[in-house]
């Protein structure tokens, strides 16, 4: 197990390095500079500024500097936000984005699984058709459209919920709904179909032949097996939710990391771009690793290490 | 002899998009205490449906027991509620399935799956359950039981898994064990071991066994009596001796001829020509008539009633029925 984790850790580092390199290549190749939009600045000031931020150095020096900043986890000051280091921005934005992300995942996973189970148990019944119709809608409506619809209906027309920002549980409802509906729908459909398949398996028939109650059969014998494919797609869903937070944070004016990320790209705030990208990537890579571990716990057939002779 | 099970006039249908499948069309048989009855017949003749019906495990929909009774120790299981049935399953009647590779839940330990039935139906402490589980593992011949209870199904071979399935079926000490092709998925040496295990179990526990198979070699080894099934009906029953040495129904004879025999120097087996009838609209008269080399006019028109050849030997074939000629005269001509 330890050996497996170490190996995975090495792979994670390599992945991160590739991402940093790609980000750097993209950054230096995208036209524009942090100081272009500044009308007042003339050529001399610009040159001075670039020298100050080390942007006039040859690319390979800049690249090495970035690698160093990642290794020490110190991305330096932001160019566009005076008196703020990138770490300050991350420290402020990340907890909020994390909260949004985790609540979304919890809502999507729990309600998706419950919906999927109910649909499977009421297979081809009214509830099943309702749930699956709802799921198709959920999958096909993009989260930003759903967000806009929610704001219009729940905040503007009905005045039920605050339209934006992030300061109380009521503020969470719409962003989380907008972000969770898609993944929830995907989980619900997948849970339903794997559940239906699992319920036809011999070991379920065997469980019935033991005289177990339907409740026990579903939760003890079927669910765990039915959840394995759901865990498999969790990686993709996590990535989707993560990118979704950029958009949703913009729409609801939530001061999370996504806001800084999008802004930094528009403003060519190179240290912030690098800092947020590395942070997002590292976080996602770590989550994918946790998904793999969870899969191994769910399925005893998966071994992280090979014992001799087996 | 005490009858433990008496199935009478059992009918099971499945409603499908293509129509209604009459899978079991009036099955009658009984089982005495402590004996082994083999139900044999070609694929699709309704063996599994019959055994599932006894356990009331027919998926409804699409399946339904439309008629008949299943008297188990004098009580009609066909009339039991689902809840009452649950207290019978695994306790009084247990079932063993064909494929041990899929019959065990891959995500639960052997110990959990073995003790589950016991803990559901009997008031036992976890200590007692474990003790009983170890006892069962010993009985079915799995060494090092305490260790192995903690393992998962994938850590066992096919033969071992079937032993575990048998242990699971027997842990609540049922009176009746239904084994649906318990050896079909295993290779020949393992088959022989599992059959020996069945004999041993019957000797130690006195359990009555219904053994479903299309392997007459298996039947010859452990059955006391045999019921031959064709197209949803039982067409001949008798003791093992009667069926093997004096088969009367042409279908039974055909089945026996399709088994390789050591005492005959024939290279080729002679399987029965033709295919079983369509169970969407099975013939009302003898269902075997289309394939029967002896078919007579009456066979196509009227169903042959059971003829009792001895106290234990019954056959439904016009060849054995003295009234065939008279009935033919009465039958409508179309
Ligand atoms: N769930 C179902 N839906 C529709 N038809 C079914 C269903 N289960 C069984 N049948 C039909 O019932 C008939 C009898 O099937 P059964 O499984 O009892 O055959 P069998 O004798 O056990 O055959 P085998 O030797 O292949 O196991 C078949 O014609 C089959 O098509
Ligand atoms: S009743 Fe007629 S058709 Fe049927 S098995 Fe007997 S002889 Fe053959
Ligand atoms: Mg079968």
């Amino acid at each position: 197990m330890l050996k497996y984790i170490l190996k995975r850790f090495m792979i994670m580092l390599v992945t991160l390095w590739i991402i940093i390199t790609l980000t750097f290549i993209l950054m230096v190749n995208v036209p524009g500079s942090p100081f272009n939009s500044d009308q007042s600045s003339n050529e001399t000031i610009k040159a001075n500024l670039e020298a100050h931020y080390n942007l006039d150095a040859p690319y390979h020096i800049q690249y090495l500097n970035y690698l160093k900043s990642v290794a020490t986890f110190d991305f330096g000051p932001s160019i566009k936000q005076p008196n703020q280091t990138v770490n300050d921005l991350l420290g402020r934005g990340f907890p909020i984005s994390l909260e949004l992300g985790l609540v979304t995942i919890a809502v999507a996973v729990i309600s998706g699984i419950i919906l999927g189970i109910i649909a499977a148990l009421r297979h081809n019944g009214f509830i099943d058709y309702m749930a699956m119709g709802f799921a198709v809608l959920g999958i096909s409506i993009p989260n930003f459209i759903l967000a806009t619809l929610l704001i219009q209906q729940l905040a503007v027309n009905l005045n039920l919920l605050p339209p934006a920002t992030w300061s109380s549980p009521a503020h969470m409802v719409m962003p989380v709904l907008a972000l969770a509906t898609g993944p929830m729908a995907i989980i619900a459909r997948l849970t339903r179909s794997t559940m239906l398949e699992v319920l036809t398996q011999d070991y379920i028939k065997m469980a019935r032949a033991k005289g177990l109650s339907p409740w026990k059969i579903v939760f003890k014998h079927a669910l765990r097996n039915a959840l394995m494919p759901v865990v498999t797609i969790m990686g993709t869903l996590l990535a989707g939710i993560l990118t979704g937070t950029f958009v949703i944070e913009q729409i609801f004016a939530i001061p999370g990391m996504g806001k800084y990320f999008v802004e930094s790209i528009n403003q060519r705030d190179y240290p912030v771009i690098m800092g947020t990208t590395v942070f997002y990537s590292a976080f996602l890579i770590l989550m994918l690793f946790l998904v793999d571990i969870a899969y191994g716990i769910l399925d005893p057939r998966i071994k992280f290490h090979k014992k001799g002779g087996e | 002899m005490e009858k433990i099970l008496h199935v009478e006039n059992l009918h099971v249908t499945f409603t499908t998009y293509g129509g209604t499948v009459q899978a079991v069309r009036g099955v009658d048989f009984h089982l005495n205490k402590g004996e082994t009855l083999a139900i044999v017949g070609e694929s699709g003749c309704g063996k599994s449906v019959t055994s599932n019906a006894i356990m009331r495990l027919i998926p409804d929909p699409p399946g339904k027991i439309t008629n008949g009774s299943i008297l188990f120790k004098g009580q009609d299981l066909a009339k039991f509620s689902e809840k009452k049935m649950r207290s019978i399953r695994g306790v009084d009647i247990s079932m063993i399935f064909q494929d041990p590779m899929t019959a065990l839940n891959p995500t639960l330990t052997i110990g959990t799956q073995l003790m589950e039935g016991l803990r559901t139906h009997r008031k036992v402490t976890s200590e007692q359950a474990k003790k009983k589980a170890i006892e069962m593992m010993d009985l079915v011949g799995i060494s090092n039981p305490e260790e192995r209870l903690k393992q998962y199904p994938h850590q066992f071979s096919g033969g071992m898994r079937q032993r575990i399935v048998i242990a699971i079926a027997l842990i609540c000490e049922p009176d009746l064990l239904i084994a649906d092709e318990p050896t079909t998925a295993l290779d020949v040496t393992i088959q022989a071991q599992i059959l020996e295990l069945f004999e041993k179990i019957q000797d130690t526990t006195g359990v009555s066994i219904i053994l479903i198979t299309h392997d007459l070699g298996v039947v010859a080894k452990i059955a006391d009596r045999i019921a031959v099934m064709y197209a949803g009906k039982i067409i001949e029953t008798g003791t093992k001796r009667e069926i093997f040495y004096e088969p009367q129904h042409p279908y039974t004879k055909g089945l026996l001829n399709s088994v390789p025999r050591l005492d005959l120097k024939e290279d080729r087996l002679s399987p029965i020509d033709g295919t079983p009838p369509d169970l969407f609209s099975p013939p009302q008269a003898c269902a075997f008539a289309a394939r029967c080399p002896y078919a007579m006019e009456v066979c196509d028109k009227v169903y042959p009633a059971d003829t009792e050849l001895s106290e234990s030997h019954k056959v439904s074939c016009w060849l054995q029925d003295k009234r065939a000629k008279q009935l033919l005269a009465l039958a409508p001509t179309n």
Side-chain angles (χ1 to χ4, degrees):
Chain A
M1 184 76 179
L2 195 70
K3 209 174 140 205
Y4 170 79
I5 291 179
L6 271 176
K7 198 175 131 206
R8 276 297 301 259
F9 198 70
M10 291 311 292
I11 297 173
M12 281 154 69
L13 282 183
V14 173
T15 316
L16 202 56
W17 171 70
I18 294 173
I19 292 171
I20 292 167
T21 310
L22 284 176
T23 312
F24 180 78
I25 294 172
L26 283 171
M27 241 166 40
V28 298
N29 281 306
V30 172
S33 110
F35 314 111
N36 269 358
S37 53
D38 237 331
Q39 295 298 324
S40 59
S41 62
N42 62 30
E43 284 305 305
T44 342
I45 295 174
K46 196 178 160 193
N48 281 340
L49 277 170
E50 288 195 341
H52 177 76
Y53 288 108
N54 247 335
L55 296 180
D56 55 349
Y59 286 152
H60 68 273
I61 301 286
Q62 288 191 38
Y63 176 64
L64 287 178
N65 280 340
Y66 277 123
L67 284 186
K68 206 176 95 197
S69 69
V70 173
T72 57
F73 215 82
D74 178 8
F75 298 97
S78 159
I79 297 178
K80 283 299 193 178
Q81 320 244 0
N83 305 325
Q84 301 252 13
T85 64
V86 177
N87 288 5
D88 287 341
L89 298 182
L90 292 180
R92 218 162 342 115
F94 179 64
I96 295 177
S97 294
L98 184 69
E99 194 176 17
L100 172 62
L102 288 185
V103 175
T104 301
I105 291 167
V107 168
V109 169
I110 294 171
S111 52
I113 288 172
I114 292 175
L115 209 61
I117 295 175
I118 295 174
L121 295 182
R122 294 279 171 271
H123 174 45
N124 282 342
F126 178 71
I127 297 178
D128 183 23
Y129 289 131
M130 284 292 291
M132 287 307 111
F134 174 70
V136 169
L137 268 181
I139 291 170
S140 40
I141 299 179
N143 52 25
F144 57 90
I145 293 190
L146 188 58
T148 327
L149 276 174
L150 286 172
I151 293 175
Q152 197 205 356
Q153 293 304 322
L154 298 184
V156 179
N157 286 356
L158 297 174
N159 209 2
L160 280 176
L161 291 164
T165 73
W166 190 255
S167 47
S168 74
H171 286 84
M172 285 184 174
V173 176
M174 289 197 297
V176 166
L177 263 185
L179 202 49
T181 302
M184 179 192 76
I186 293 172
I187 292 174
R189 280 174 60 104
L190 192 61
T191 306
R192 173 186 180 269
S193 64
T194 53
M195 194 75 182
L196 281 177
E197 204 206 301
V198 167
L199 287 175
T200 65
Q201 297 293 311
D202 282 356
Y203 57 80
I204 296 298
K205 204 169 162 200
M206 175 115 166
R208 293 184 67 204
K210 279 183 196 169
L212 303 186
S213 66
W215 196 87
K216 223 177 188 169
I217 291 171
V218 168
F219 286 94
K220 189 167 171 192
H221 283 269
L223 188 59
R224 189 159 162 185
N225 288 287
L227 283 189
M228 280 187 227
V230 176
V231 176
T232 318
I233 64 151
M234 273 315 286
T236 326
L237 288 185
L238 282 173
I241 289 175
L242 195 134
T243 42
T245 58
F246 302 160
V247 183
I248 293 301
E249 285 181 11
Q250 288 286 319
I251 294 178
F252 289 96
I254 296 168
M257 244 170 72
K259 184 170 145 258
Y260 299 121
F261 182 67
V262 176
E263 269 175 15
S264 69
I265 293 172
N266 288 335
Q267 302 175 337
R268 307 286 186 276
D269 194 343
Y270 295 140
V272 180
I273 295 181
M274 193 48 94
T276 41
T277 309
V278 167
F279 201 85
Y280 271 128
S281 319
F283 185 71
L284 188 59
I285 290 171
L286 192 72
M287 291 307 254
L288 295 184
F289 171 66
L290 291 182
V291 165
D292 277 3
I293 298 281
Y295 199 70
I297 291 171
L298 269 183
D299 188 349
R301 284 165 296 189
I302 292 177
K303 281 260 176 64
F304 293 117
H305 58 109
K306 279 210 167 67
K307 243 195 245 161
E310 270 204 74
Chain B
M1 243 181 290
E2 193 187 335
K3 275 185 199 169
I4 186 164
L5 180 76
H6 194 164
V7 175
E8 266 179 322
N9 195 31
L10 181 69
H11 284 74
V12 182
T13 60
F14 291 93
T15 312
T16 66
Y17 292 116
T20 303
V21 184
Q22 300 180 31
V24 169
R25 312 183 295 134
V27 158
D28 289 290
F29 70 88
H30 73 273
L31 181 67
N32 296 318
K33 204 163 165 28
E35 80 174 348
T36 299
L37 172 75
I39 302 182
V40 297
E42 280 169 306
S43 186
C45 69
K47 305 183 296 289
S48 296
V49 171
T50 302
S51 57
N52 288 336
I54 295 168
M55 282 289 260
R56 293 280 307 279
L57 285 176
I58 303 276
D60 176 12
K64 207 166 182 65
I65 297 177
T66 50
N67 203 348
S69 56
I70 303 161
L71 294 171
F72 175 71
K73 294 191 191 164
Q75 291 176 297
D76 188 0
L77 299 184
K79 293 196 174 67
F80 271 30
S81 69
E82 172 62 23
K83 191 158 170 236
K84 213 165 163 200
M85 214 39 229
R86 245 184 272 143
S87 65
I88 299 281
R89 288 186 199 127
V91 185
D92 297 300
I93 310 179
S94 278
M95 204 161 172
I96 293 170
F97 297 95
Q98 174 170 351
D99 191 352
M101 302 314 269
T102 56
L104 294 169
N105 191 328
T107 58
L108 297 175
T109 62
I110 297 306
T112 307
Q113 299 188 59
L114 187 50
M115 289 180 275
E116 196 173 33
L118 200 61
R119 308 214 61 179
T120 307
H121 299 292
R122 304 243 196 273
K123 287 199 178 72
V124 289
T125 63
S126 58
E127 240 89 290
Q128 291 168 318
K130 195 168 166 206
K131 192 162 156 269
K132 182 77 188 173
I134 291 173
E135 207 176 283
M136 293 315 295
M137 297 277 271
D138 269 333
L139 176 69
V140 299
I142 291 177
S143 54
N144 209 357
E146 196 142 357
E147 270 301 296
R148 305 224 80 177
L149 283 179
K150 290 181 209 135
Q151 294 185 327
Y152 288 93
H154 70 273
Q155 291 163 299
F156 292 82
S157 68
M160 282 295 169
R161 289 194 209 187
Q162 195 61 306
R163 287 171 190 269
I164 292 164
V165 170
I166 293 170
I168 291 174
L170 292 175
I171 196 158
C172 290
E173 296 166 359
D175 300 312
L176 171 59
L177 183 64
I178 303 174
D180 191 350
E181 313 211 16
T183 58
T184 310
L186 305 171
D187 59 46
V188 184
T189 38
I190 310 290
Q191 274 188 15
Q193 292 170 11
I194 295 291
L195 290 180
E196 270 160 32
L197 178 59
F198 272 107
E199 287 178 319
K200 176 182 155 195
I201 283 162
Q202 198 161 41
D203 285 346
T204 38
T205 66
V207 65
S208 315
I209 299 177
I210 294 180
L211 178 78
I212 291 181
T213 179
H214 44 234
D215 184 342
L216 287 167
V218 170
V219 176
K221 195 154 187 315
I222 70 168
D224 298 314
R225 284 193 307 123
I226 300 170
V228 183
M229 208 167 163
Y230 186 77
K233 284 176 189 265
I234 292 198
I235 48 102
E236 184 165 9
T237 55
T239 60
K240 176 160 73 181
R241 183 159 258 295
E242 285 162 340
I243 298 293
F244 273 94
Y245 292 110
E246 304 148 30
Q248 294 305 323
H249 198 285
Y251 176 68
T252 313
K253 290 179 186 165
L255 271 187
L256 289 166
N257 280 336
S258 65
V259 180
R261 285 175 59 172
L262 291 174
D263 56 340
L264 290 181
K265 277 215 183 94
E266 259 180 289
D267 308 336
R268 280 190 50 221
L269 306 176
S270 48
I272 310 161
D273 286 332
T275 49
D278 177 10
L279 292 178
F280 284 110
S281 51
Q284 287 313 301
C286 176
F288 191 59
R291 301 165 77 183
C292 179
Y294 312 103
M296 302 164 283
E297 215 184 328
V298 65
C299 305
D300 263 333
K301 301 232 163 74
V302 189
Y303 186 77
D306 279 348
T307 306
E308 282 199 25
L309 303 169
S310 78
E311 205 182 311
S312 50
H313 196 176
K314 272 193 251 171
V315 63
S316 72
C317 170
W318 282 121
L319 290 176
Q320 301 300 327
D321 198 309
K322 297 188 184 74
R323 299 161 302 169
K325 268 216 178 87
Q326 304 151 27
L327 269 164
L328 186 57
L330 297 174
T333 42
N334 48 336

